[in-house]
Amino acid sequence: MLQTVSEWLWWERLWLPVNVSWSDLEDSEGRIYAKGSHLFSALPCALCMLLVRYLFERYLATPLADVWGIKDRLRLTVEPNSLLENYFRNQAKAPSQADVRSLCKKTSWSERRIQVWFRRRRNQDRPGLRKRFCEASWRCMFYMFAFIYGAVALYDKPWLYDLREVWAGFPKQSMLPSQYWYYILEMGFYVSLLLSLSFDVKRKDFKEQVIHHTATLTLLSFSWISNYIRIGTLVMAVHDCSDILLEGAKVFNYATWHRTANAMFVVFTVVFMVSRIIIFPFWLIHCTWVYPLDHYPPFFGYYFFNVMLMVLQLLHIYWAFLISRMVYKFIFSAVRVSKCSCVYKNSTRKPETLRAINV
């Protein structure tokens, strides 16, 4: 049974074009090819990432938060009530009006008192400002390192400047050490994000983030085994360049450097739109849909890889909508503030962008 499953799983027509077999991708004459077994290195890399993250947040991010005066807000604790606590944990964190009335009868409390209890209880579970600062600092540091590493690994490669070179000699393209480490680091990072979901800050687009991380890992794994490594490195670089700016904007926002955060968010918006709404679909997806047909007929992996890229693109469009809405609110809130400058001259009210940037 296991042998049959293995044969189907590694059926060459799933992963490779016609007239190409696994034997054609055996290491020989100094040429080294990517193998599925290499991907197991991503798990120990993810565990190392979690350790490095812990050390970074404790010994770098936390002292930096102290220097910048970033403190958690004081939150009122709730009155002990086992009935409400049991309802909060097992049924709902925000009860309906009918449930509030039912709880009033069971506890002899007023509706107002129960609503205040649930609001304070929800606030107790929300991550503090320092935790969000440390998490954003870690992600910003990783994306910056990954992008710089990717730029160094790609700057002298012909396929960076001519996308047709991505498929030159495919699939018999020797793996480079820089490509191996770029892949393992990226995969280790996204695996670590999935492993840390239970204690990371849970944002409004939590489900979309899970889909994104899963689709990214699936894409990276498939592209590695099918030797789609060249296009894979380009996809990673395109994604990392805008993520640096978003996490950096969050860092400065938590530090109350609002002008810097605003400026960085504007730059992030431009880079995001150019890289993920223009370059990604019209350059990279076009490269994977059109150019391969000059070298081999379509096979299962060709369709699978492109469908997964389209899943990522749909997520990009969703996030582009959210970002555009933030920018729209920010611009018009700025206009309103400027019209009422005599009233708000000394106001410390945050613009809409800074409140929404934590999504």
Side-chain angles (χ1 to χ4, degrees):
M1 179 65 179
L2 293 176
Q3 183 177 359
T4 303
V5 172
S6 178
E7 290 176 356
W8 275 98
L9 179 62
W10 297 105
W11 185 35
E12 292 168 343
R13 297 289 70 80
L14 291 177
W15 304 93
L16 303 172
V18 179
N19 299 325
V20 179
S21 63
W22 294 118
S23 59
D24 295 325
L25 300 180
E26 293 291 336
D27 298 345
S28 62
E29 299 178 357
R31 297 176 65 88
I32 301 175
Y33 297 100
K35 299 177 180 61
S37 58
H38 293 156
L39 297 178
F40 290 114
S41 301
L43 183 56
C45 180
L47 298 177
C48 290
M49 286 280 185
L50 292 175
L51 176 60
V52 173
R53 173 181 174 176
Y54 170 78
L55 297 175
F56 173 86
E57 292 185 356
R58 179 164 184 176
Y59 296 106
L60 289 177
T62 300
L64 183 60
D66 294 334
V67 171
W68 282 351
I70 300 174
K71 299 179 181 179
D72 293 331
R73 295 177 181 176
L74 295 177
R75 292 172 179 170
L76 299 175
T77 57
V78 297
E79 303 175 57
N81 189 304
S82 58
L83 180 65
L84 297 183
E85 184 67 26
N86 182 65
Y87 183 95
F88 181 87
R89 291 182 177 276
N90 301 320
Q91 296 188 46
K93 296 184 178 181
S96 63
Q97 190 61 33
D99 289 338
V100 169
R101 295 193 188 99
S102 175
L103 291 169
C104 286
K105 297 177 181 179
K106 295 178 180 179
T107 59
S108 300
W109 286 12
S110 66
E111 291 187 13
R112 174 63 178 170
R113 187 177 179 184
I114 289 179
Q115 290 170 346
V116 169
W117 189 96
F118 275 96
R119 184 172 66 250
R120 290 180 178 176
R121 183 65 182 83
R122 288 193 298 271
N123 287 336
Q124 286 183 196
D125 286 350
R126 289 176 181 170
L129 195 62
R130 290 169 67 89
K131 178 178 175 61
R132 286 181 286 171
F133 172 82
C134 291
E135 181 180 318
S137 300
W138 160 248
R139 295 195 184 201
C140 182
M141 188 275 294
F142 175 82
Y143 288 132
M144 182 180 299
F145 174 81
F147 179 73
I148 293 173
Y149 182 88
V152 172
L154 287 169
Y155 85 97
D156 61 343
K157 304 301 185 295
W159 53 86
L160 177 63
Y161 309 98
D162 182 3
L163 291 178
R164 292 185 181 276
E165 289 293 324
V166 167
W167 308 107
F170 179 85
K172 298 180 181 179
Q173 297 171 338
S174 181
M175 177 188 67
L176 303 175
S178 59
Q179 293 172 330
Y180 172 82
W181 287 111
Y182 195 16
Y183 258 77
I184 295 302
L185 286 173
E186 289 277 356
M187 292 191 69
F189 177 71
Y190 283 106
V191 171
S192 72
L193 291 183
L194 289 176
L195 293 177
S196 62
L197 283 176
S198 59
F199 58 85
D200 276 348
V201 176
K202 190 172 182 179
R203 296 183 172 85
K204 295 179 181 179
D205 61 345
F206 173 80
K207 294 180 180 179
E208 289 78 10
Q209 289 283 357
V210 173
I211 295 173
H212 175 270
H213 299 341
T214 304
T216 300
L217 286 170
T218 302
L219 264 174
L220 291 176
S221 301
F222 179 86
S223 63
W224 182 263
I225 296 173
S226 297
N227 219 20
Y228 276 50
I229 297 178
R230 291 182 179 180
I231 189 65
T233 54
L234 294 177
V235 170
M236 290 188 291
V238 165
H239 280 72
D240 289 339
C241 64
S242 60
D243 288 335
I244 302 170
L245 297 167
L246 176 61
E247 299 301 331
K250 292 179 183 179
V251 169
F252 288 112
N253 181 37
Y254 299 143
T256 66
W257 292 24
H258 297 322
R259 290 186 178 180
T260 304
N262 273 334
M264 190 167 288
F265 185 80
V266 170
V267 177
F268 158 75
T269 301
V270 174
V271 173
F272 183 94
M273 297 301 178
V274 171
S275 62
R276 302 200 190 186
I277 305 300
I278 298 177
I279 294 178
F280 186 74
F282 296 107
W283 268 264
L284 300 187
I285 294 182
H286 179 267
C287 173
T288 61
W289 271 111
V290 178
Y291 297 159
L293 301 181
D294 296 335
H295 301 272
Y296 58 83
F299 65 107
F300 173 81
Y302 166 84
Y303 294 111
F304 178 81
F305 187 77
N306 283 287
V307 167
M308 294 303 296
L309 288 180
M310 292 304 299
V311 170
L312 284 183
Q313 183 56 31
L314 291 176
L315 290 172
H316 296 163
I317 294 173
Y318 169 76
W319 282 319
F321 168 75
L322 294 181
I323 293 168
S324 300
R325 189 171 63 178
M326 293 178 198
V327 173
Y328 175 84
K329 290 181 178 179
F330 169 65
I331 291 175
F332 280 87
S333 66
V335 170
R336 288 196 298 270
V337 170
S338 65
K339 287 182 179 179
C340 305
S341 58
C342 58
V343 177
Y344 292 101
K345 184 175 181 181
N346 297 320
S347 175
T348 58
R349 178 177 177 270
K350 291 183 181 180
E352 292 290 337
T353 303
L354 294 181
R355 293 204 300 271
I357 204 172
N358 297 328
V359 172

